[in-house]
Each structure stands twice: as structure tokens, then as C-alpha cells.
Amino acid sequence: MSSDDYRYMARALTLARRGLYGTDPNPRVGCVLVRDGAIVGEGWHERAGEPHAEAIALEEAGKKARGAMTYVTLEPCCHYGRTPPCTDALLKAGIARLVAAMPDPNPQVAGKGLAILRDAGIRVDCGLLETEARALNPGFIQRMTEGRPFIRIKLAMSLDGRTALASGESRWLTSEAARTDVQRLRARSSAILTGSGTLLADNPSLNVRLPATTRQPVRVILDTALQTPATAKTLRLPGPVLICTAVADADAQSAVRAVGADIAVLPRAERGLDLHAVMGELARRECNEVHVEAGPTLAGALLQADLADEIVIYIAPLLLGDRARSLFQLPELTRMQECWALDILETRAVGRDWRLTLRPRRRRAPPPSISDRSPVMADGAR
Ligand code: AOF
Ligand code: ZN
């Protein structure tokens, strides 16, 4: 790979990032076409149902696509989905070479797109800036390879590790800059998930209020005993709501259904709902990234179920004292070896607060992959 190859793929990644808030449930993808050392076409996927990155770049390049080098952040598709196969369009346009950042984890594509182009005599390379490309679509990749979404838990705490006063009051621990940052995390997600405890205590909106976005992620309430009142604020706002419950009784469901909430009846676990079943249901509903804003019970349960892929903690420079509430409800530990270990992926300042992005270490072996593709593909998001 030459330094130009890196430069053009970096450009394709930048284009792909423009789709961060909008492509759901599709992946974010960017594409650059280069001929005689100049960019002749650029594209990025904007919305599901609309043209793919490659199709937009080809359209811009027109006849100049003949003999061009194609840089694309995801293997071109070779199937009829909502749009026709990009492999056909690339072949018809007569491109000379294709560089992909990563294979498409979608089982309908999964290497077949690259093989079709290779068999047609095009020089094909795959894997340039792959880590960056994977980081763009952790949820899409995990859903396609493992049948579950990528789960990100957002938390806010004081410097002494407390999330609310003993009374439950937590408004506002972090600064406005941190809360706007959280809006960006919500906006990139397919679903915003909370528990009935938080819903009843705080009556949160759980919606996206960023001027740059129009899409509302589905708001998911885990409500084993179906306690959500039809008057809850989140049920009254624009955008879809899904209540996951163990209560199958139609009469009990009618009040929330009447205000537009969808209901999924799911199995119980020892305490609350079976969280693996919840995530399987969300994957079936094409959720890629799930953003969790919940209390210590649900956050602790997700951690214990090995379902937390990423934890984002905002740390406010305040002290709440040891009577205040902690972040995760976890079983009492007796030995240091039992502690929950996390890796820090990033630290940065957001306004007057600090933001830590962490990945919990897996306690068990990862679940078996629903597909039988290569271990590289089954590796997941990062
Ligand atoms: C995208 N954007 O730029 C590329 C994608 O229903 P469709 O036709 O939009 O197909 C969606 C699939 O196409 C998606 O799951 C992925 O496998 C593949 N590539 N998707 O949304 C793009 N190149
Ligand atoms: Zn395509």
C-alpha cells in the first residue's frame, strides 16, 4: 500500500462518518474514486433505502470512473437489498482496482462481493485502515456476526464515584457540555434503553434533541411487571417506544398500547427479564448500537451478564459523600481477584467534566457466533 492509498482511504472514512446519525440500520460507508492522481468521485451512505456510497461516487465520476481506483470503507455489496448490487455498478463503470477497508459482515455478502470483482479481473485488496473502519460500525458488525447489538452504557458520577444523592436526586451532576455530548451518543444509537425503575423515578424523555438529526432511536423500557404509566413523558414524545415485559396479558397492555407503545413479551431471568433475550429481540428489530441510561440495578445486571461492550463515564468535579448512591449494583466481593476489570480506551475533558471510555473485560468466553465465518470476522467490533 502506498501513502496515497492511506490518504484516499482516510478520506473515505471521513466521508463515511457523515452518516453517523443517519444510516441506521445500515452501516456507515464512504467511497472515493481516483483517476490519474485526482479524486473524480466521492460518496457516502446517507440513509437506508437510498443509494450506497459506491453508487453516489460512481454517479459523480460519470465516464471518469473507467480505469479508476476505488477506495471503499466496506466491501461492496453483491446482493439485491433495498438497492441493487454495487459490484454490478462498479464492473459496468469499468474500475481498474478496488481497495476495501474491511469485508462486509452481512452474510449475504461476506467476501462474495470481493470475489466477484476479483474474478472479473479487477485488482482487489482488503484490510487497509481496517481498525478505523470497524470502529465506525461496531453495532452493525456485532449484529451481523453475533446476532446481538453493541451495548454502550452511559453513566455520570461525582469524583467520589457516586451517581445520585441518597434521595435519588441527580440533576445535574455533569455540565451542559457533557449532556450535549451524551446527546451525540444517543443520536448515533439505534435504541435508547432504560429500566422501569429509572422511568418511574425520573420520568426521563430519552429522546434525541440535536439540531443536526431527524431520526429518533427507538426508546426501550425494560419493564418486567409492566408498571409504565401511559402518562410517562417518553411515551408522549415523537418517535417509537418499545416496552419489553414478561406480562403477556392483553388487558394489562392496552393502556400503553393505546398511546402507541409497541410491546415485546420476553422470558424472565432470576431477577427481571432475560437480558440476552432482550438483546436478541433488539437485534431482530435491526438495532445496531444500544445506548443504555439506567440505574445501578440494570447497569450491574448487564455487566454481570457480560453484555456491556463499552462504558462511557462522565466524571464531574464534585463530591457527594459516602451516603450517596453508587454506579453498579454488584455482588459483594471477598477477594481482589474477583474484581471487575476494565480497559480504558480513551480519556478526555468535556467542558468541566472528564469522559472515560472503557471496555469491560469478558468474564466468560464469548457466545458462539451465529455464523460460521472466519475467526477474523467473528472477532466483533474492535
Ligand atoms: C449500505 N451502504 O454504502 C454499502 C452497504 O438494503 P440495501 O440495498 O441498502 O443493502 C444494505 C446492505 O448493503 C448492508 O447491510 C451492507 O451489507 C451492504 N453495503 N450498505 O447501507 C453502503 N456499501
Ligand atoms: Zn452496495
Side-chain angles (χ1 to χ4, degrees):
M1 294 289 161
S2 71
S3 62
D4 278 347
D5 290 334
Y6 278 91
R7 194 156 57 83
Y8 292 128
M9 187 61 84
R11 174 67 188 155
L13 286 163
T14 300
L15 293 167
R17 277 183 205 110
R18 293 188 186 166
L20 192 63
Y21 300 149
T23 64
D24 215 71
N26 277 359
R28 298 117 188 178
V29 184
C31 178
V32 173
L33 290 170
V34 177
R35 203 173 86 175
D36 304 326
I39 293 179
V40 293
E42 289 189 335
W44 50 284
H45 187 56
E46 194 172 347
R47 215 167 282 118
E50 293 182 10
H52 288 181
E54 299 93 316
I56 293 171
L58 286 171
E59 167 92 31
E60 188 190 333
K63 288 204 173 68
K64 290 189 191 143
R66 190 151 299 277
M69 317 249 271
T70 305
Y71 297 85
V72 61
T73 59
L74 187 73
E75 171 187 7
C77 67
C78 55
H79 68 301
Y80 281 87
R82 300 173 191 90
T83 68
C86 290
T87 45
D88 286 358
L90 291 165
L91 288 174
K92 196 159 153 245
I95 62 155
R97 183 184 172 215
L98 180 117
V99 185
M102 62 173 287
D104 186 347
N106 183 347
Q108 290 178 284
V109 185
K112 293 194 279 286
L114 297 176
I116 287 168
L117 297 174
R118 224 174 247 135
D119 291 348
I122 290 169
R123 190 177 145 205
V124 173
D125 292 295
C126 184
L128 181 63
L129 295 179
E130 177 156 358
T131 306
E132 289 77 0
R134 285 184 174 272
L136 260 178
N137 291 303
F140 179 76
I141 296 169
Q142 189 142 293
R143 174 163 70 87
M144 289 293 163
T145 56
E146 290 180 27
R148 71 176 183 88
F150 181 89
I151 299 155
R152 182 183 287 118
I153 303 178
K154 171 259 157 182
L155 299 160
M157 71 174 196
S158 60
L159 207 51
D160 52 349
R162 305 287 155 168
T163 185
L165 297 177
S167 66
E169 188 181 339
S170 61
R171 272 185 192 152
W172 296 109
L173 200 52
T174 52
S175 64
E176 187 155 353
R179 283 181 275 131
T180 305
D181 199 56
V182 172
Q183 280 287 318
R184 287 191 280 269
L185 291 181
R186 283 186 181 184
R188 63 174 290 166
S189 303
S190 311
I192 297 170
L193 184 145
T194 196
S196 53
T198 300
L199 184 104
L200 293 171
D202 299 349
N203 198 16
S205 329
L206 301 171
N207 62 352
V208 174
R209 301 180 296 274
L210 276 189
T213 66
T214 49
R215 187 183 63 85
Q216 283 295 339
V218 56
R219 301 189 286 274
V220 181
I221 305 157
L222 303 196
D223 187 3
T224 316
L226 203 50
Q227 296 170 292
T228 302
T231 50
K233 202 198 282 175
T234 194
L235 267 58
R236 303 285 168 159
L237 294 166
V241 174
L242 173 69
I243 300 179
C244 297
T245 182
V247 177
D249 179 58
D251 285 342
Q253 296 174 356
S254 62
V256 285
R257 278 201 197 274
V259 292
D262 196 359
I263 293 192
V265 178
L266 294 168
R268 283 175 193 269
E270 216 172 291
R271 286 194 305 167
L273 291 172
D274 177 338
L275 294 173
H276 287 276
V278 168
M279 296 310 167
E281 176 67 23
L282 294 184
R284 255 191 309 286
R285 289 170 183 255
E286 297 193 303
C287 289
N288 292 335
E289 295 176 28
V290 172
H291 175 95
V292 181
E293 291 191 29
T297 316
L298 183 52
L302 285 167
L303 199 63
Q304 290 178 72
D306 246 346
L307 282 169
D309 294 300
E310 190 172 283
I311 296 176
V312 179
I313 301 190
Y314 296 85
I315 306 173
L318 305 167
L319 299 171
L320 295 185
D322 61 4
R323 303 288 295 277
R325 297 185 185 181
S326 69
L327 291 175
F328 292 92
Q329 203 178 78
L330 294 170
E332 190 180 337
L333 305 182
T334 49
R335 291 175 308 147
M336 257 333 253
Q337 297 101 289
E338 294 168 356
C339 75
W340 299 78
L342 302 96
D343 293 307
I344 298 179
L345 305 179
E346 191 203 56
T347 63
R348 57 167 280 201
V350 180
R352 59 143 215 236
D353 304 311
W354 275 88
R355 185 182 80 187
L356 256 56
T357 305
L358 307 137
R359 180 173 41 211
R361 298 225 178 121
R362 290 269 169 264
R363 297 212 145 193
R364 289 178 272 276
S369 169
I370 55 160
S371 66
D372 56 0
R373 268 168 279 118
S374 70
V376 177
M377 301 293 299
D379 229 334
R382 293 176 183 203

